[in-house]
Amino acid sequence: MNILVVSGIWPPDVGGPASHAPEVSTVLRSRGHDVRAVITASAPPAPEAYPVSWVSRSLPPGVRHAEAMRRIIEGARWADVVYSTGMFGRSSLGTFAARTPLVVKLTADPAYERARRWGLWKGSLEEFQADPSTSTLPLRISRDFDAKHAAHVVTPSSYLRELAIGWGVAPAHATVLPNPAPPLPKLRPRDEIRAELGFSGPTLVFAGRLTEQKSLDIGIAAAKKAGLPLVIAGDGPDRAALEALGYARFLGPLTREKVLELFLAGDASLLSSSWENFPHTVVEALAVGTPMIATDTGGVAEVVTDEVNGLIVQPGDVDALAAAITRFFSDDALAARLRAAAIPSVADYAAERVYGRLEEILVGAAR
């Protein structure tokens, strides 16, 4: 089967979709499928075992969108099915023009993301679903069209699946498929990694995109209030503002293996997001045995269970997050219990099972 993978971000970009798109391309190719990818990137991507057609982000927006659309149409005409993890509008129109089935992996509400980015909406994701204003109506209409056009919609959480059904996606065409636990390379001993990173005592860690969504200003304030060092890996538009707060230590973007090493070296992983779906980094941290201290937003609570493999607090509450951090690091028995449960809690997210189900969905859509 010929499969075109579409992604708006790709290594060395930071973020779950940047890791997922090349990983799923490699897995599908290993299962005997012919794979091509269309992406946007800031620089030529590293060579892969399959063709990767990239569109430069330095192009003016209109030109960039048109060129991406052209390449998606070209790839879709070759493909039996298109799997899109980003550029949903262009994927929807491109596959419509090529008459090729489209499977979409949603990682968020794209209309909400744009409305926040463009300053059209300040409220919560849940409130946005019933927004009566006309300013966001075109975004919601476009989102609904794209989602309903897809032959199948895959979501990492039940939370996001319910949102998609609210946009008009038929329940039979929406499947929850959690982000897979990463195939773990042989990681170096924890003490060696900690020494290299300069961790001399209890340490909180975070890895991901440095964006408004992650609310790391709250995470940094909570860590400071609790008196615990916080080490942050990643990059994004909020990095300069966060560094200016002057408390956390920033490592910049890391490879996926280095991110796993960071999680292994940390005592707990912090997630202070205001809105989320199902972050890849939550599964990655748990997969190496590091508990989460996280906010109860989106699908986070579908993988992090309070007082089982992590601690959960309400988003936006610095005091509550600081109290959870203090509790974790002052109660050795609690920390040990959460740590022991971390790896078993993601056993059902094995990559072989998750990607096997995705392959079934792609084959079904192609038929």
Side-chain angles (χ1 to χ4, degrees), residues 1-23:
M1 188 167 69
N2 294 341
I3 303 172
L4 178 70
V5 175
V6 177
S7 181
I9 59 176
W10 192 269
D13 293 327
V14 174
S19 300
H20 173 73
E23 182 175 284

PDB file of all heavy atoms in Angstrom, residues 1-23:
ATOM      1  N   MET A   1       0.844  -1.191   0.000  1.00  0.00           N
ATOM      2  CA  MET A   1       0.000   0.000   0.000  1.00  0.00           C
ATOM      3  C   MET A   1       0.882   1.244   0.000  1.00  0.00           C
ATOM      4  O   MET A   1       1.914   1.281   0.674  1.00  0.00           O
ATOM      5  CB  MET A   1      -0.903  -0.014   1.242  1.00  0.00           C
ATOM      6  CG  MET A   1      -1.956   1.079   1.257  1.00  0.00           C
ATOM      7  SD  MET A   1      -3.222   0.822   2.524  1.00  0.00           S
ATOM      8  CE  MET A   1      -2.266   1.103   4.003  1.00  0.00           C
ATOM      9  N   ASN A   2       0.482   2.257  -0.739  1.00  0.00           N
ATOM     10  CA  ASN A   2       1.198   3.534  -0.781  1.00  0.00           C
ATOM     11  C   ASN A   2       0.575   4.491   0.234  1.00  0.00           C
ATOM     12  O   ASN A   2      -0.637   4.756   0.188  1.00  0.00           O
ATOM     13  CB  ASN A   2       1.117   4.154  -2.179  1.00  0.00           C
ATOM     14  CG  ASN A   2       1.840   3.325  -3.220  1.00  0.00           C
ATOM     15  OD1 ASN A   2       2.684   2.491  -2.892  1.00  0.00           O
ATOM     16  ND2 ASN A   2       1.519   3.552  -4.486  1.00  0.00           N
ATOM     17  N   ILE A   3       1.403   5.014   1.137  1.00  0.00           N
ATOM     18  CA  ILE A   3       0.911   5.881   2.215  1.00  0.00           C
ATOM     19  C   ILE A   3       1.683   7.190   2.197  1.00  0.00           C
ATOM     20  O   ILE A   3       2.917   7.198   2.243  1.00  0.00           O
ATOM     21  CB  ILE A   3       1.067   5.210   3.591  1.00  0.00           C
ATOM     22  CG1 ILE A   3       0.338   3.860   3.628  1.00  0.00           C
ATOM     23  CG2 ILE A   3       0.535   6.128   4.693  1.00  0.00           C
ATOM     24  CD1 ILE A   3       0.604   3.054   4.889  1.00  0.00           C
ATOM     25  N   LEU A   4       0.945   8.301   2.131  1.00  0.00           N
ATOM     26  CA  LEU A   4       1.546   9.621   2.250  1.00  0.00           C
ATOM     27  C   LEU A   4       1.327  10.131   3.669  1.00  0.00           C
ATOM     28  O   LEU A   4       0.190  10.168   4.152  1.00  0.00           O
ATOM     29  CB  LEU A   4       0.914  10.606   1.259  1.00  0.00           C
ATOM     30  CG  LEU A   4       1.461  12.042   1.334  1.00  0.00           C
ATOM     31  CD1 LEU A   4       2.893  12.106   0.821  1.00  0.00           C
ATOM     32  CD2 LEU A   4       0.563  13.010   0.569  1.00  0.00           C
ATOM     33  N   VAL A   5       2.411  10.500   4.351  1.00  0.00           N
ATOM     34  CA  VAL A   5       2.346  11.074   5.699  1.00  0.00           C
ATOM     35  C   VAL A   5       2.547  12.576   5.578  1.00  0.00           C
ATOM     36  O   VAL A   5       3.501  13.034   4.951  1.00  0.00           O
ATOM     37  CB  VAL A   5       3.415  10.448   6.612  1.00  0.00           C
ATOM     38  CG1 VAL A   5       3.432  11.133   7.971  1.00  0.00           C
ATOM     39  CG2 VAL A   5       3.163   8.945   6.772  1.00  0.00           C
ATOM     40  N   VAL A   6       1.662  13.350   6.175  1.00  0.00           N
ATOM     41  CA  VAL A   6       1.735  14.811   6.137  1.00  0.00           C
ATOM     42  C   VAL A   6       1.943  15.320   7.558  1.00  0.00           C
ATOM     43  O   VAL A   6       1.225  14.923   8.477  1.00  0.00           O
ATOM     44  CB  VAL A   6       0.459  15.429   5.540  1.00  0.00           C
ATOM     45  CG1 VAL A   6       0.537  16.956   5.572  1.00  0.00           C
ATOM     46  CG2 VAL A   6       0.237  14.936   4.115  1.00  0.00           C
ATOM     47  N   SER A   7       2.932  16.194   7.735  1.00  0.00           N
ATOM     48  CA  SER A   7       3.189  16.757   9.063  1.00  0.00           C
ATOM     49  C   SER A   7       3.700  18.178   8.941  1.00  0.00           C
ATOM     50  O   SER A   7       4.533  18.477   8.085  1.00  0.00           O
ATOM     51  CB  SER A   7       4.218  15.904   9.809  1.00  0.00           C
ATOM     52  OG  SER A   7       4.454  16.429  11.103  1.00  0.00           O
ATOM     53  N   GLY A   8       3.213  19.041   9.820  1.00  0.00           N
ATOM     54  CA  GLY A   8       3.668  20.427   9.817  1.00  0.00           C
ATOM     55  C   GLY A   8       4.994  20.622  10.520  1.00  0.00           C
ATOM     56  O   GLY A   8       5.643  21.652  10.334  1.00  0.00           O
ATOM     57  N   ILE A   9       5.401  19.653  11.349  1.00  0.00           N
ATOM     58  CA  ILE A   9       6.697  19.745  12.028  1.00  0.00           C
ATOM     59  C   ILE A   9       7.418  18.409  11.911  1.00  0.00           C
ATOM     60  O   ILE A   9       6.796  17.356  11.736  1.00  0.00           O
ATOM     61  CB  ILE A   9       6.570  20.177  13.503  1.00  0.00           C
ATOM     62  CG1 ILE A   9       5.697  19.191  14.302  1.00  0.00           C
ATOM     63  CG2 ILE A   9       6.011  21.570  13.609  1.00  0.00           C
ATOM     64  CD1 ILE A   9       5.633  19.534  15.786  1.00  0.00           C
ATOM     65  N   TRP A  10       8.732  18.464  12.022  1.00  0.00           N
ATOM     66  CA  TRP A  10       9.584  17.303  11.738  1.00  0.00           C
ATOM     67  C   TRP A  10      10.932  17.563  12.423  1.00  0.00           C
ATOM     68  O   TRP A  10      11.348  18.714  12.540  1.00  0.00           O
ATOM     69  CB  TRP A  10       9.767  17.200  10.218  1.00  0.00           C
ATOM     70  CG  TRP A  10      10.375  15.937   9.691  1.00  0.00           C
ATOM     71  CD1 TRP A  10      11.703  15.695   9.464  1.00  0.00           C
ATOM     72  CD2 TRP A  10       9.675  14.765   9.280  1.00  0.00           C
ATOM     73  NE1 TRP A  10      11.867  14.433   8.937  1.00  0.00           N
ATOM     74  CE2 TRP A  10      10.634  13.832   8.815  1.00  0.00           C
ATOM     75  CE3 TRP A  10       8.333  14.395   9.250  1.00  0.00           C
ATOM     76  CZ2 TRP A  10      10.300  12.582   8.330  1.00  0.00           C
ATOM     77  CZ3 TRP A  10       7.990  13.145   8.782  1.00  0.00           C
ATOM     78  CH2 TRP A  10       8.962  12.238   8.318  1.00  0.00           C
ATOM     79  N   PRO A  11      11.622  16.536  12.878  1.00  0.00           N
ATOM     80  CA  PRO A  11      12.925  16.770  13.507  1.00  0.00           C
ATOM     81  C   PRO A  11      13.838  17.623  12.614  1.00  0.00           C
ATOM     82  O   PRO A  11      13.820  17.434  11.395  1.00  0.00           O
ATOM     83  CB  PRO A  11      13.495  15.363  13.677  1.00  0.00           C
ATOM     84  CG  PRO A  11      12.299  14.483  13.736  1.00  0.00           C
ATOM     85  CD  PRO A  11      11.287  15.111  12.814  1.00  0.00           C
ATOM     86  N   PRO A  12      14.554  18.595  13.183  1.00  0.00           N
ATOM     87  CA  PRO A  12      14.807  18.782  14.618  1.00  0.00           C
ATOM     88  C   PRO A  12      13.775  19.608  15.364  1.00  0.00           C
ATOM     89  O   PRO A  12      14.042  20.059  16.477  1.00  0.00           O
ATOM     90  CB  PRO A  12      16.156  19.497  14.623  1.00  0.00           C
ATOM     91  CG  PRO A  12      16.112  20.343  13.383  1.00  0.00           C
ATOM     92  CD  PRO A  12      15.379  19.511  12.361  1.00  0.00           C
ATOM     93  N   ASP A  13      12.575  19.841  14.800  1.00  0.00           N
ATOM     94  CA  ASP A  13      11.531  20.534  15.538  1.00  0.00           C
ATOM     95  C   ASP A  13      11.221  19.775  16.821  1.00  0.00           C
ATOM     96  O   ASP A  13      11.385  18.553  16.900  1.00  0.00           O
ATOM     97  CB  ASP A  13      10.249  20.649  14.701  1.00  0.00           C
ATOM     98  CG  ASP A  13      10.421  21.546  13.492  1.00  0.00           C
ATOM     99  OD1 ASP A  13      11.195  22.509  13.589  1.00  0.00           O
ATOM    100  OD2 ASP A  13       9.788  21.277  12.464  1.00  0.00           O
ATOM    101  N   VAL A  14      10.720  20.500  17.813  1.00  0.00           N
ATOM    102  CA  VAL A  14      10.393  19.931  19.115  1.00  0.00           C
ATOM    103  C   VAL A  14       8.889  19.732  19.198  1.00  0.00           C
ATOM    104  O   VAL A  14       8.107  20.563  18.741  1.00  0.00           O
ATOM    105  CB  VAL A  14      10.861  20.870  20.244  1.00  0.00           C
ATOM    106  CG1 VAL A  14      10.407  20.361  21.607  1.00  0.00           C
ATOM    107  CG2 VAL A  14      12.381  21.015  20.208  1.00  0.00           C
ATOM    108  N   GLY A  15       8.468  18.634  19.811  1.00  0.00           N
ATOM    109  CA  GLY A  15       7.043  18.390  20.020  1.00  0.00           C
ATOM    110  C   GLY A  15       6.642  16.983  19.649  1.00  0.00           C
ATOM    111  O   GLY A  15       7.343  16.296  18.877  1.00  0.00           O
ATOM    112  N   GLY A  16       5.510  16.540  20.196  1.00  0.00           N
ATOM    113  CA  GLY A  16       5.047  15.185  19.949  1.00  0.00           C
ATOM    114  C   GLY A  16       4.869  14.838  18.486  1.00  0.00           C
ATOM    115  O   GLY A  16       5.372  13.804  18.019  1.00  0.00           O
ATOM    116  N   PRO A  17       4.153  15.670  17.687  1.00  0.00           N
ATOM    117  CA  PRO A  17       3.990  15.349  16.276  1.00  0.00           C
ATOM    118  C   PRO A  17       5.308  15.266  15.511  1.00  0.00           C
ATOM    119  O   PRO A  17       5.435  14.498  14.559  1.00  0.00           O
ATOM    120  CB  PRO A  17       3.123  16.510  15.757  1.00  0.00           C
ATOM    121  CG  PRO A  17       2.366  16.976  16.951  1.00  0.00           C
ATOM    122  CD  PRO A  17       3.319  16.818  18.103  1.00  0.00           C
ATOM    123  N   ALA A  18       6.301  16.057  15.928  1.00  0.00           N
ATOM    124  CA  ALA A  18       7.608  15.999  15.263  1.00  0.00           C
ATOM    125  C   ALA A  18       8.270  14.651  15.483  1.00  0.00           C
ATOM    126  O   ALA A  18       9.016  14.162  14.623  1.00  0.00           O
ATOM    127  CB  ALA A  18       8.514  17.116  15.780  1.00  0.00           C
ATOM    128  N   SER A  19       8.012  14.027  16.626  1.00  0.00           N
ATOM    129  CA  SER A  19       8.543  12.681  16.879  1.00  0.00           C
ATOM    130  C   SER A  19       7.680  11.614  16.226  1.00  0.00           C
ATOM    131  O   SER A  19       8.188  10.630  15.682  1.00  0.00           O
ATOM    132  CB  SER A  19       8.607  12.421  18.394  1.00  0.00           C
ATOM    133  OG  SER A  19       9.436  13.346  19.045  1.00  0.00           O
ATOM    134  N   HIS A  20       6.366  11.830  16.277  1.00  0.00           N
ATOM    135  CA  HIS A  20       5.433  10.799  15.816  1.00  0.00           C
ATOM    136  C   HIS A  20       5.503  10.578  14.312  1.00  0.00           C
ATOM    137  O   HIS A  20       5.516   9.422  13.849  1.00  0.00           O
ATOM    138  CB  HIS A  20       4.007  11.191  16.219  1.00  0.00           C
ATOM    139  CG  HIS A  20       2.957  10.294  15.667  1.00  0.00           C
ATOM    140  ND1 HIS A  20       2.744   9.013  16.128  1.00  0.00           N
ATOM    141  CD2 HIS A  20       2.052  10.481  14.663  1.00  0.00           C
ATOM    142  CE1 HIS A  20       1.755   8.455  15.454  1.00  0.00           C
ATOM    143  NE2 HIS A  20       1.322   9.315  14.561  1.00  0.00           N
ATOM    144  N   ALA A  21       5.524  11.659  13.532  1.00  0.00           N
ATOM    145  CA  ALA A  21       5.433  11.515  12.077  1.00  0.00           C
ATOM    146  C   ALA A  21       6.572  10.678  11.493  1.00  0.00           C
ATOM    147  O   ALA A  21       6.318   9.735  10.730  1.00  0.00           O
ATOM    148  CB  ALA A  21       5.365  12.890  11.415  1.00  0.00           C
ATOM    149  N   PRO A  22       7.847  10.947  11.815  1.00  0.00           N
ATOM    150  CA  PRO A  22       8.902  10.087  11.268  1.00  0.00           C
ATOM    151  C   PRO A  22       8.878   8.679  11.852  1.00  0.00           C
ATOM    152  O   PRO A  22       9.218   7.712  11.169  1.00  0.00           O
ATOM    153  CB  PRO A  22      10.195  10.824  11.625  1.00  0.00           C
ATOM    154  CG  PRO A  22       9.840  11.738  12.727  1.00  0.00           C
ATOM    155  CD  PRO A  22       8.406  12.105  12.527  1.00  0.00           C
ATOM    156  N   GLU A  23       8.461   8.569  13.121  1.00  0.00           N
ATOM    157  CA  GLU A  23       8.412   7.234  13.721  1.00  0.00           C
ATOM    158  C   GLU A  23       7.369   6.364  13.037  1.00  0.00           C
ATOM    159  O   GLU A  23       7.636   5.201  12.697  1.00  0.00           O
ATOM    160  CB  GLU A  23       8.106   7.340  15.214  1.00  0.00           C
ATOM    161  CG  GLU A  23       8.088   5.988  15.931  1.00  0.00           C
ATOM    162  CD  GLU A  23       7.904   6.155  17.429  1.00  0.00           C
ATOM    163  OE1 GLU A  23       8.874   6.542  18.101  1.00  0.00           O
ATOM    164  OE2 GLU A  23       6.785   5.900  17.930  1.00  0.00           O
TER     165      GLU A  23
END
